[in-house]
Amino acid sequence: MAQIIDGKTISQQVRQEVKEGVAQWVKGGGVIPGLATVLVGDDPASQVYVKNKNKATVEAGMHSRHIPLPVTTSESQLLELIDNLNRDSSIHGILVQLPLPSQIKSSKILEAIDPKKDVDGFHPINVGRLVSGDATLMPCTPLGVMRLIKETGMDLRGKNAVIVGRSNIVGKPMALLLLQANATVTICHSHTKDLQQKVKEADVVVAAIGKPNFVKGDWIKTGAVIIDVGINRLPNGKLVGDVDFEAASREAAWITPVPGGVGPVTIAMLLNNTLLATKNISH
Ligand code: NDP
């Protein structure tokens, strides 16, 4: 039976580390780190994510500014707000919650954020640095996944890592981080042939698909590490991941639960990025 990788506990550890880092920074005369979160519209899931991020920011001793905007906000209005936040010396991290309404082009907004304040790591400059292997601000979810894998004690060198999903937010940056850790990386997507076979060869599986219980237990190699990024709400209200947890637990050595796996660690990494951004801006 697989051991559970407890994202909640790991997240608490990282958050405590960040909190101590903030206290030390401020004690040494550094400015209090400030994170601005922008939410356009009233999507209930996004509201919960942003609320949790704000709460965690304050608990880490940082300053949080939440800016809710109506769903009718225009692209130019949002660009103007970003411009103001870029210039605001009390703000060191800017997070625009995705997805944005259809009248706003996400890429345009992400490109407008000062790369030094880009705590989500989505600006093309930071993406480019991630590709080159010299990034400071990297996407929070893949960073969280790396932290969870670390907890298992697995040395990724030479291991087969299979990522299912190739989004800009999760799959692609995940591949780059695993590559940097010297894993042999396969990225799968909706056109992949023999997906089951590819997953079967994986020492590490990262599932980021967005389909409930999509990865089956008999796809899993015995002893593998399974990281389930997916968050799916079933019609009965229950939250499940992209991996059939019960069945996969019988084959895997380690597995993350949903909820309580990748989600909490993602938030912890955002806080760490905000502290990093503050230090970089201040130097
Ligand atoms: P996207 O919808 O952007 O990407 C999903 C990916 O899954 C795509 O690359 C798609 O392939 C692939 N896919 C879809 N169907 C199949 C299939 N049948 N076989 C193989 N691959 C398939 O999702 P995100 O990456 O943004 O998110 C994925 C999941 O992770 C969601 O449940 C989301 O809620 C969750 N999430 C969780 C976070 C956390 O903090 N825990 C953070 C971010 C996301 P193709 O490109 O070919 O269409």
Side-chain angles (χ1 to χ4, degrees):
M1 215 47 190
Q3 295 194 61
I4 304 288
I5 314 174
D6 182 355
K8 271 195 194 160
T9 303
I10 298 165
S11 142
Q12 284 305 333
Q13 284 166 8
V14 176
R15 284 167 65 170
Q16 187 57 33
E17 283 161 25
V18 174
K19 189 174 178 174
E20 286 163 16
V22 170
Q24 211 174 12
W25 168 252
V26 173
K27 204 172 152 197
V31 59
I32 294 178
L35 173 69
T37 56
V38 182
L39 175 62
V40 186
D42 49 14
D43 174 62
S46 294
Q47 278 175 335
V48 172
Y49 294 149
V50 171
K51 197 175 142 215
N52 289 341
K53 288 169 186 173
N54 287 312
K55 191 165 163 263
T57 306
V58 173
E59 280 170 9
M62 304 195 267
H63 155 68
S64 158
R65 189 188 307 168
H66 177 52
I67 305 159
L69 296 173
V71 71
T72 51
T73 303
S74 70
E75 191 173 274
S76 58
Q77 283 169 325
L78 186 53
L79 285 170
E80 195 182 326
L81 171 70
I82 302 287
D83 189 42
N84 288 335
L85 293 172
N86 281 343
R87 288 179 226 221
D88 188 331
S89 59
S90 69
I91 295 297
H92 308 89
I94 302 171
L95 181 148
V96 178
Q97 185 67 38
L98 301 176
L100 290 166
S102 56
Q103 75 274 15
I104 303 176
K105 203 167 173 221
S106 307
S107 59
K108 210 162 172 189
I109 301 303
L110 299 178
E111 282 172 34
I113 295 173
D114 180 343
K116 288 198 170 94
K117 298 190 177 186
D118 171 38
V119 283
D120 256 338
F122 296 157
H123 191 287
I125 287 189
N126 289 323
V127 176
R129 286 185 181 141
L130 176 60
V131 174
S132 319
D134 58 0
T136 305
L137 297 176
M138 295 177 265
C140 303
T141 299
L143 281 176
V145 171
M146 294 306 283
R147 184 65 184 78
L148 292 166
I149 295 173
K150 189 176 165 204
E151 203 63 20
T152 69
M154 178 188 252
D155 180 356
L156 283 165
R157 274 180 297 180
K159 296 290 191 309
N160 286 336
V162 170
I163 304 159
V164 192
R166 56 169 166 182
S167 70
N168 291 337
I169 296 172
V170 188
K172 284 183 202 161
M174 190 71 250
L176 292 162
L177 288 180
L178 287 164
L179 199 58
Q180 266 168 36
N182 295 324
T184 302
V185 181
T186 305
I187 310 173
C188 301
H189 46 79
S190 65
H191 299 274
T192 297
K193 303 262 192 298
D194 303 325
L195 178 62
Q196 180 173 346
Q197 191 49 41
K198 296 208 162 42
V199 172
K200 194 79 191 172
E201 285 165 18
D203 302 304
V204 184
V205 179
V206 180
I209 310 151
K211 292 189 173 165
N213 303 322
F214 182 84
V215 175
K216 307 299 175 210
D218 60 1
W219 299 13
I220 306 294
K221 178 176 170 180
T222 305
V225 171
I226 310 298
I227 310 287
D228 193 348
V229 180
I231 306 173
N232 310 287
R233 197 172 285 283
L234 297 179
N236 65 8
K238 195 180 167 213
L239 277 186
V240 297
D242 290 345
V243 178
D244 181 345
F245 181 84
E246 293 298 326
S249 297
R250 289 195 278 275
E251 294 300 328
W254 293 88
I255 190 164
T256 59
V258 178
V262 177
V265 187
T266 295
I267 296 187
M269 292 301 157
L270 170 70
L271 303 180
N272 196 46
N273 273 354
T274 306
L275 178 57
L276 281 175
T278 309
K279 289 182 174 176
N280 281 343
I281 291 169
S282 308
H283 279 128

